[in-house]
Amino acid sequence: MTSDSGDAPDPGNAPGSARPRLAHRLRPRLPRTLRARATAAAVLIMVAALSIGGGWLYVTLRGNLMDNAAARTELAARQAVADIAVDPGHLPRDLPEPDGGVDALLVLDEQGRALASTAPDPAARAKALAGFRPAPGDDSAVRDFAAAPALASHTSVIAVVRTPSPQGERYVYALTVLDAVSDAERALGVTVLVGGPLVVLLTGLIAWSVTGAALRPVEAIRRELAAVTADRLSRRVPAPGGQDEITSLARTVNDTLERLERSVTRQREFVADASHELRNPIAATRAELELALLKQPAPETAASLEQALDSTVRLEHIAADLLLLARLDARQPPTAQLVDLSLLAAEKIARRRSARVPLLLEAEDPVLVRADPGQLERLLANLLDNAQRFADSEVRVTAATDPATGTALLEVSDDGPGIPPEAREKVFDRFTRLEADRNRTSGGTGLGLAIAREIAQAHGGTLRVAPSTRGARFVLRLPAASP
């Protein structure tokens, strides 16, 4: 059989696939657990709150400080105007220092020449402020100036008031350096940049702890549910105290498990009762058919009777298998006796000398386990029946002890068509037969392997299909016993 897979284009290497792969690689990965998602959401919300709150606080604080500084500055300028108006003809060149945190006063004439100032050599400030005058119709103006050598080392607020005099209009300037505003802005920035990450970290830790505590009952419920199996339906999940959603979930899960347990119990009881009740009429029917065949009826009648007898025998086997499965489902502990797997396999093979294909035994002597002899015999018989049904030329049975794991091994392998890897667990399901085993005359009931695995599990062991180069290979492991 040829394969053209080497000539087929690889979708991952197609020219148009680079962009989807890149987009997938660049796509942000969300946290997988609910706890991590809740923590990430709390951290993001806190980052957004600190950013918005910090920005709003910065704008509000700066605005308030600027308004206060502007009001103080304008008030100082008007106070200076009032002082000058007392004696407009006499203007001292050196003005007294203003109050209220205002840093300097300056008086200019209409030509921008300095007439008076609180600081020596006011020419530089006069040149910088000469162009700042009240608008027509206004007697005052306020604005902030950027830091400049002629004015101040920080941003400053300057207010100007126009006042008349016998010598012409004069302009009184008051200057307040905004070093307090800069200090407040710096302090706020340090607080946000240093305290913000600490608050975010603390928020993340609190969210992680609180979410973990809230989800701890959910994890306990999950673990308990994972332990619930078909033979352990009596388990119940822990219900935390309180009346929250998790408590309601736990109660709902327990109610569901209780209904499921009742349903499975009724089903098992029905199967057991039906199988038990069917045994007597089936056995009676079989006896009647065998008795009718002993009377040597006509050939046509004999053929019909033989066909009916075969169906009755098959039905008898199904009823017996269902009854055994019902008993195994009840999980009654099997009787524990010392059993030699090598001897058990040798006896079963000796009884099948007339089998379609030869049965070969490779066994250590002895291989001891503690188990129910009848159930182990049934397990081995089911494995041999399955192997003989599909083997081409031989069936090989191997019994050994694995000292590394302390288990006893029993392997049954054949050289038939084998079991596909995807069906290695499916074959142990009840009433499951592969496509090659759909024939009613040669196929089984679909219960043999299910019964074999149930017996293995009832004895604390395992039964699985192991990889094989040819045919099917069933491996049974049971706890080894000492003599």
Side-chain angles (χ1 to χ4, degrees), residues 65-66 68-77 98-105 125 143-145 151-152 154-159 173-181:
L65 293 175
M66 292 291 290
N68 291 335
R72 293 197 317 269
T73 305
E74 185 176 0
L75 180 61
D99 298 328
V102 179
D103 295 287
L105 293 174
R125 284 183 177 176
R143 58 167 289 193
D144 57 302
F145 281 76
L151 296 177
H154 293 85
T155 302
S156 58
V157 172
I158 298 178
Y173 294 85
L175 180 145
T176 300
V177 180
L178 299 178
D179 50 357
V181 176

Side-chain angles (χ1 to χ4, degrees), residues 37-121:
R37 291 178 185 176
T39 303
V43 169
L44 291 177
I45 291 174
M46 182 55 66
V47 170
L50 288 177
S51 300
I52 297 173
W56 175 82
L57 183 60
Y58 172 82
V59 172
T60 303
L61 177 63
R62 179 179 173 80
N64 289 337
L65 293 175
M66 292 291 290
D67 291 343
N68 291 335
R72 293 197 317 269
T73 305
E74 185 176 0
L75 180 61
R78 291 190 181 277
Q79 184 64 44
V81 169
D83 293 341
I84 294 171
V86 174
D87 188 4
H90 176 70
L91 180 63
R93 189 158 186 84
D94 294 328
L95 297 176
E97 293 292 335
D99 298 328
V102 179
D103 295 287
L105 293 174
L106 179 65
V107 181
L108 302 182
D109 60 12
E110 289 185 305
Q111 287 73 35
R113 294 189 297 266
L115 301 179
S117 175
T118 57
D121 191 17

